[in-house]
Amino acid sequence: MEALPRRPPVIRALGATALLAVALTAIGPASPAAADEVEQLVNGGFTSGTEPWWSTAGMPITLRDGKACVDVPGGTVNRWDAAVGQNDIDLVEGETYRYSFTASGDPAGHVARAIVGLSVAPYDTYFEASPVLSVAGDTYSYTFTSAVTTAQAQVALQVGGSADPWGLCLDDVSLVGGVPPEVYQPDTGPRVRVNQVAYLPRGPKKATLVTETTTKLPWQLKNAAGTTVARGHTVPRGVDVSSGQNVQTIDFSRYRKHGTGFTLVADGETSRPFDIDAAAYEQLRIDALKFYYTQRSGIEIKESLRPGYARPAGHVDVAPNLGDGAVPCQSGVCDYKLDVTGGWYDAGDHGKYVVNGGISTWELLNQFERTSEPARLRDGTLAIPESGNRVPDILDEVRWELDFLLKMQVPAGQPLAGMVHHKIHDANWTGLPLMPHLDPQQRELHPVSTAATLNLAATAAQAARIYKRYDPAFARRALAAARTAYTAALAEPARYAPESDGVGGGAYNDSKVDDDFYWAAAELYLTTGDKKYADAILASPVHTADIFGPGAFDWASTAVAGRLDLALIPNKLPGRSAIRDSIVRGADKYLAIQAGHAYGVPYAPANNMWDWGSNSTILNNLVVVASAYDLTHRDKYRDGVVEGMDYLFGRNALNYSYVTGYGEVSSQNEHSRWYAHQLDPSLPNPPKGSLAGGANSSIQDPVAQSKLAGCVGQFCYIDDIQSWSTNELTINWNSALAWVASFVADQN
């Protein structure tokens, strides 16, 4: 394992509402106490009764064979509805603690939420883990560094949320201060970093060598039989800022023969194997889109269509779900209920968010609209319930989300009619794992927002022109909704989703909507040709601004979506050549960044602070580069996109493919309540073709903070289900993956 480059340690305290769904799982025996270690708990072995331990009312602690046991009632909703704990514990900021205990559960498989937090309001959580308990019992041990000084801390095991009663027993509970901090070193494998999946035969083929050597080194390309088929010398690149590593580049682009099982050898290291072939991208185009079927809400996922991922319909009106068929608003928001069944679960939780659904919908529809090989997206390609209806499967899949987005619009006759509710999710956070059909929480509609309203206006207008050929009635309905939404947004231009609305689901706050107005006007103009929308585009300051920042677009920054469609879809807007030129300039900016990056990444965030979901940011930058190729047909743009995929597939500092099931070592434990194999062996890992969020310098979750404090750029990632800030999966990240995979597949 390589030494992990590190910044000075950064520890952040997070509120309880931000942490209810996260944990750190590190199972193993507790370490023996050192001389300077200090026990913080009293009677952790229960040798003198049960004091000062407490338990939830109606769940008394009893001693059985020297262990503290409780009968956990069934029918509770939240983990914290049933708990055992001890209060009045001292913590010191910057001190490292070892939290350990032995626990058993009968029957097996129940998940406990082991926390260290504040025992009084606002009940902040400083550390948590989610061990899966066995009948025989296991010892669990975790190390964390306190972000606060307090005399009111609490150690607890929260064990509610089960439909059926079960038994919990505890022993040897300990919280020891003064322990050495745990040093995390990722296993990065061989120092030759390659695209572990495939290089295109007629595309760029580059690798990165991590080495202390500063002069050029010989390299060999070997085929599956071990025969050297190409050779050359590396190009020294110096220290790569994004990883802190001294690196060199290997370029074997001149080798164009198809094959499997190739390896690169340099500096005494042999890379992980890879292919030279385009077939993987054809498959990835499909797998990245198949992700959406198992994200569907409100429909049974069939074993025959997705072996290993079958589950009952989630959030229909069947107990314990309270259902999405008649969802009320948050208190004081409205006095009606809406049927908001359907749509895609946004990420690893059960929430559904219009602004993230909007950019995801746009990107998949844009993929279909621009593809040079529409037959590759034809009916039957995805094996979904709608296959065989003579509509391309990608449009059937997107329709599942579009129907939900339309349901989120405020009905005529109600206050703020035509506006769109920002999101719908549980009233409170739920824990992991939790299958959608077992979620007992009350669902709530959140207030309308200008951003959500414009997302509907944009995507519904886009859908109207694309679906007109397949379902004219739906196209008319979508366009009417889009016009209504745009008009409603003009009347309410500053209704923003607040940052504080983050209980039970993500806030998705956005107080900048000039980009959304521009995007919506662009889609409405492209579909209708109406002068009023053209005038709105030309009057927008966004229209002539340089909108190609470190990240081209995402759910909170949508101007590029409008700009790309104005450039690529035939229309009569004045000054269209300038629009097209701006796309090419944006692509040139990303190519220049890529050329200067030792790992070939078209992304260089300010101060090397990698964004949440950096993998999707990289992919969306590649969308811009690919669009420049569509406009110019210059090979440099095509090659830039192809090389950019190398980073996602393993040519990175961690030597890791971020796409599940692609590459020898790939992300497997993305944050999800139902792809939760890491916590519950009976559940699956995410499906093949799921994209992990990737390096995130802000490391907001406790797992990342415990393991990655001080991380540099690319090293701010861990493949752990509880690391929601580096390892979540989302519909908008997979839409970017599907778009770029489709483009690369088209280059075959």
Side-chain angles (χ1 to χ4, degrees):
M1 295 184 292
E2 298 163 30
L4 176 62
R6 310 190 76 79
R7 288 193 180 99
V10 177
I11 304 294
R12 297 170 177 82
L14 298 180
T17 56
L19 294 174
L20 294 178
V22 300
L24 171 61
T25 305
I27 301 175
S31 302
D36 57 347
E37 295 178 355
V38 179
E39 177 63 63
Q40 307 296 308
L41 300 184
V42 177
N43 192 27
F46 304 100
T47 56
S48 55
T50 62
E51 295 295 331
W53 293 88
W54 54 263
S55 61
T56 305
M59 193 180 73
I61 303 173
T62 60
L63 295 179
R64 305 173 195 169
D65 300 324
K67 301 175 182 178
C69 299
V70 293
D71 294 323
V72 182
T76 55
V77 174
N78 306 297
R79 291 272 187 259
W80 51 92
D81 290 341
V84 178
Q86 185 176 138
N87 293 344
D88 302 323
I89 297 166
D90 292 327
L91 294 178
V92 177
E93 181 180 0
E95 185 75 63
T96 301
Y97 296 86
R98 183 176 61 249
Y99 177 21
S100 61
F101 54 88
T102 298
S104 62
D106 189 7
H110 285 281
V111 178
R113 182 172 180 252
I115 70 155
V116 180
L118 189 61
S119 62
V120 296
Y123 303 104
D124 290 341
T125 303
Y126 309 135
F127 168 81
E128 64 173 291
S130 294
V132 181
L133 306 182
S134 67
V135 174
D138 295 286
T139 296
Y140 304 89
S141 182
Y142 312 93
T143 301
F144 71 98
T145 301
S146 177
V148 301
T149 295
T150 181
Q152 293 182 299
Q154 171 191 100
V155 164
L157 255 70
Q158 298 176 347
V159 290
S162 172
D164 300 314
W166 59 285
L168 166 73
C169 287
L170 281 175
D171 201 3
D172 299 324
V173 189
S174 173
L175 182 68
V176 174
V179 302
E182 182 177 307
V183 178
Y184 171 70
Q185 293 289 352
D187 183 357
T188 55
R191 291 183 287 105
V192 182
R193 308 291 157 77
V194 298
N195 177 331
Q196 298 174 28
V197 178
Y199 295 90
L200 293 188
R202 293 188 175 271
K205 302 174 192 68
K206 295 181 182 179
T208 301
L209 169 66
V210 179
T211 177
E212 295 180 359
T213 304
T214 57
T215 56
K216 67 180 183 179
L217 294 165
W219 58 261
Q220 298 86 39
L221 174 67
K222 296 182 179 292
N223 63 18
T227 303
T228 298
V229 295
R231 63 180 70 242
H233 284 85
T234 61
V235 176
R237 300 295 296 268
V239 175
D240 167 51
V241 172
S242 72
S243 64
Q245 300 165 319
N246 189 77
V247 296
Q248 302 198 27
T249 297
I250 298 170
D251 188 342
F252 57 109
S253 301
R254 291 185 178 181
Y255 188 84
R256 294 186 171 186
K257 293 184 179 180
H258 291 70
T260 62
F262 290 95
T263 55
L264 275 172
V265 178
D267 199 24
E269 293 277 311
T270 301
S271 75
R272 287 174 174 151
F274 56 88
D275 297 345
I276 298 178
D277 193 79
Y281 294 94
E282 291 285 359
Q283 187 60 46
L284 180 61
R285 171 172 22 207
I286 300 304
D287 287 339
L289 290 171
K290 284 184 173 182
F291 167 83
Y292 291 91
Y293 175 54
T294 52
Q295 288 290 120
R296 286 192 190 187
S297 176
I299 187 174
E300 176 191 5
I301 306 303
K302 296 184 177 181
E303 180 72 15
S304 59
L305 298 180
R306 289 294 179 275
Y309 292 91
R311 59 173 173 80
H315 295 96
V316 292
D317 300 325
V318 175
N321 283 168
L322 298 180
D324 287 352
V327 178
C329 283
Q330 285 181 308
S331 178
V333 171
C334 73
D335 59 3
Y336 53 82
K337 297 180 179 180
L338 292 182
D339 174 358
V340 290
T341 50
W344 299 318
Y345 296 120
D346 177 73
D349 63 293
H350 300 136
K352 299 184 288 188
Y353 308 84
V354 170
V355 292
N356 212 36
I359 197 64
S360 306
T361 295
W362 172 82
E363 196 154 22
L364 294 184
L365 290 180
N366 182 269
Q367 173 187 344
F368 176 79
E369 199 166 21
R370 60 98 8 226
T371 184
S372 61
E373 295 284 347
R376 302 294 177 91
L377 298 171
R378 66 186 182 278
D379 183 26
T381 53
L382 299 183
I384 56 178
E386 298 82 4
S387 294
N389 65 356
R390 298 185 179 182
V391 176
D393 279 359
I394 186 174
L395 297 187
D396 282 325
E397 189 57 67
V398 175
R399 176 72 179 269
W400 192 261
E401 177 73 1
L402 280 166
D403 285 340
F404 158 73
L405 295 176
L406 291 168
K407 292 175 182 179
M408 293 288 280
Q409 192 166 32
V410 177
Q414 296 290 346
L416 300 172
M419 294 290 283
V420 176
H421 288 278
H422 197 72
K423 56 181 182 169
I424 173 259
H425 56 65
D426 292 339
N428 293 291
W429 284 108
T430 56
L432 282 72
L434 183 64
M435 297 292 282
H437 68 285
L438 298 177
D439 176 15
Q441 285 277 346
Q442 175 63 58
R443 308 281 274 175
E444 293 180 337
L445 288 167
H446 290 246
V448 300
S449 73
T450 305
T453 303
L454 291 167
N455 269 254
L456 177 66
T459 54
Q462 180 191 26
R465 66 175 179 266
I466 293 173
Y467 286 83
K468 183 177 181 180
R469 173 182 173 184
Y470 304 99
D471 190 339
F474 173 72
R476 289 192 296 271
R477 180 164 71 93
L479 183 56
R483 289 182 183 274
T484 297
Y486 187 79
T487 301
L490 288 174
E492 297 286 345
R495 283 192 174 265
Y496 305 134
E499 185 176 2
S500 59
D501 190 12
V503 177
Y508 281 98
N509 51 293
D510 185 6
S511 59
K512 180 181 69 66
V513 295
D514 55 347
D515 55 330
D516 301 301
F517 272 109
Y518 177 74
W519 175 35
E523 300 298 346
L524 280 160
Y525 171 71
L526 290 170
T527 299
T528 68
D530 287 0
K531 183 178 182 299
K532 65 179 179 180
Y533 300 124
D535 291 344
I537 294 168
L538 297 173
S540 172
V542 173
H543 186 55
T544 54
D546 180 1
I547 54 178
F548 300 100
F553 63 90
D554 59 18
W555 66 267
S557 183
T558 58
V560 169
R563 185 84 62 90
L564 289 176
D565 278 353
L566 288 170
L568 289 159
I569 296 171
N571 65 85
K572 297 180 180 180
L573 189 74
R576 189 158 171 250
S577 62
I579 299 172
R580 296 162 71 95
D581 288 345
S582 74
I583 304 298
V584 174
R585 288 194 302 272
D588 286 339
K589 179 188 298 185
Y590 296 133
L591 286 186
I593 293 171
Q594 182 180 54
H597 201 296
Y599 279 99
V601 187
Y603 172 65
N607 301 316
N608 200 34
M609 290 295 293
W610 286 51
D611 295 305
W612 192 325
S614 60
N615 285 342
S616 71
T617 302
I618 292 165
L619 286 164
N620 285 334
N621 289 355
L622 293 176
V623 169
V624 175
V625 178
S627 298
Y629 176 77
D630 287 343
L631 290 168
T632 68
H633 299 291
R634 295 175 189 165
D635 286 347
K636 69 175 184 177
Y637 299 115
R638 169 191 177 274
D639 289 350
V641 177
V642 173
E643 183 179 353
M645 287 296 285
D646 295 346
Y647 172 84
L648 278 300
F649 282 153
R651 186 189 167 198
N652 53 57
L654 289 170
N655 203 0
Y656 219 80
S657 171
Y658 290 110
V659 182
T660 302
Y662 281 79
E664 186 173 86
V665 178
S666 67
S667 299
Q668 298 289 321
N669 299 305
E670 289 97 323
H671 177 80
S672 170
R673 281 161 176 73
W674 58 103
Y675 312 129
H677 184 78
Q678 185 179 354
L679 295 178
D680 184 346
S682 70
L683 297 176
N685 290 116
K688 184 180 179 182
S690 300
L691 178 67
N696 173 11
S697 297
S698 296
I699 55 171
Q700 289 94 337
D701 65 81
V703 172
Q705 290 174 346
S706 174
K707 299 284 189 180
L708 306 177
C711 60
V712 173
Q714 292 190 51
F715 282 101
C716 298
Y717 170 83
I718 185 169
D719 183 26
D720 190 293
I721 193 170
Q722 304 291 5
S723 184
W724 41 267
S725 68
T726 77
N727 201 38
E728 193 161 18
L729 44 73
T730 75
I731 55 175
N732 61 313
W733 299 344
N734 249 70
S735 66
L737 177 65
W739 197 107
V740 177
S742 186
F743 175 87
V744 176
D746 285 350
Q747 309 314 308
N748 183 15

